[in-house]
């Protein structure tokens, strides 16, 4: 499965997890994918097994690359928010709401 075309929102962690779950579909169905990619004895001459395996491999690598890019992007975004909140926390150490937000973002990372 390809990455979503739009920007991925990292603010809602549950939504982010759901996106990753959907993007793992090809990995979760690998046995099925292999069974449908490798031809049975009756279809050996009709299907190029090497080509279909190559296409499956490319599909897997594309899915892995997309997931890795999205994960790293969200880590970078959330780390940036944590850095900003830490700087604000240095200025306002008595702000409990700010501390709570900082802890929430740190947990996300």
């Amino acid at each position: 499965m390809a990455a979503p075309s739009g920007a991925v929102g990292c603010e809602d962690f549950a939504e982010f997890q759901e996106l990753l779950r959907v993007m793992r579909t090809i990995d979760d169905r690998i046995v099925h994918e292999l069974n449908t990619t490798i031809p049975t004895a009756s279809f050996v001459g009709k299907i190029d097994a090497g080509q279909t395996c190559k296409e499956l491999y490319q599909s897997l690598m594309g899915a892995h690359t997309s997931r890795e890019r999205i994960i790293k992007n969200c880590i970078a975004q959330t780390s940036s928010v944590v850095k900003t909140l830490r700087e604000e926390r240095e200025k306002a150490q008595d702000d409990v709401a700010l501390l709570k937000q900082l802890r929430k973002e740190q947990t996300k990372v």
Side-chain angles (χ1 to χ4, degrees):
M1 176 175 187
S5 57
V8 176
C10 303
E11 296 80 26
D12 184 354
F13 191 69
E15 183 180 316
F16 178 70
Q17 283 182 310
E18 178 63 17
L19 173 66
L20 291 178
R21 186 191 66 74
V22 169
M23 292 180 75
R24 278 192 47 85
T25 302
I26 192 168
D27 294 301
D28 294 341
R29 296 182 44 152
I30 192 67
V31 171
H32 178 270
E33 294 292 332
L34 287 170
N35 286 338
T36 57
T37 299
I38 300 171
T40 60
S42 60
F43 287 101
V44 157
K46 299 175 185 172
I47 297 174
D48 182 4
Q51 182 62 30
T52 54
C53 284
K54 182 179 179 180
E55 290 169 4
L56 175 60
Y57 174 78
Q58 290 171 340
S59 179
L60 280 169
M61 290 299 100
H64 290 182
T65 301
S66 295
R67 280 199 315 267
E68 182 179 6
R69 187 181 72 249
I70 289 170
I71 290 168
K72 286 182 177 181
N73 182 42
C74 282
I75 289 171
Q77 283 181 16
T78 307
S79 294
S80 175
V81 170
V82 166
K83 181 180 177 188
T84 303
L85 289 172
R86 279 186 180 154
E87 290 169 357
E88 290 177 22
R89 177 81 174 131
E90 291 292 322
K91 296 174 188 171
Q93 292 186 356
D94 296 334
D95 190 345
V96 177
L98 184 62
L99 178 61
K100 189 175 180 179
Q101 181 66 25
L102 174 60
R103 297 292 181 240
K104 180 182 171 188
E105 294 298 319
Q106 286 174 327
T107 301
K108 238 197 278 188
V109 172

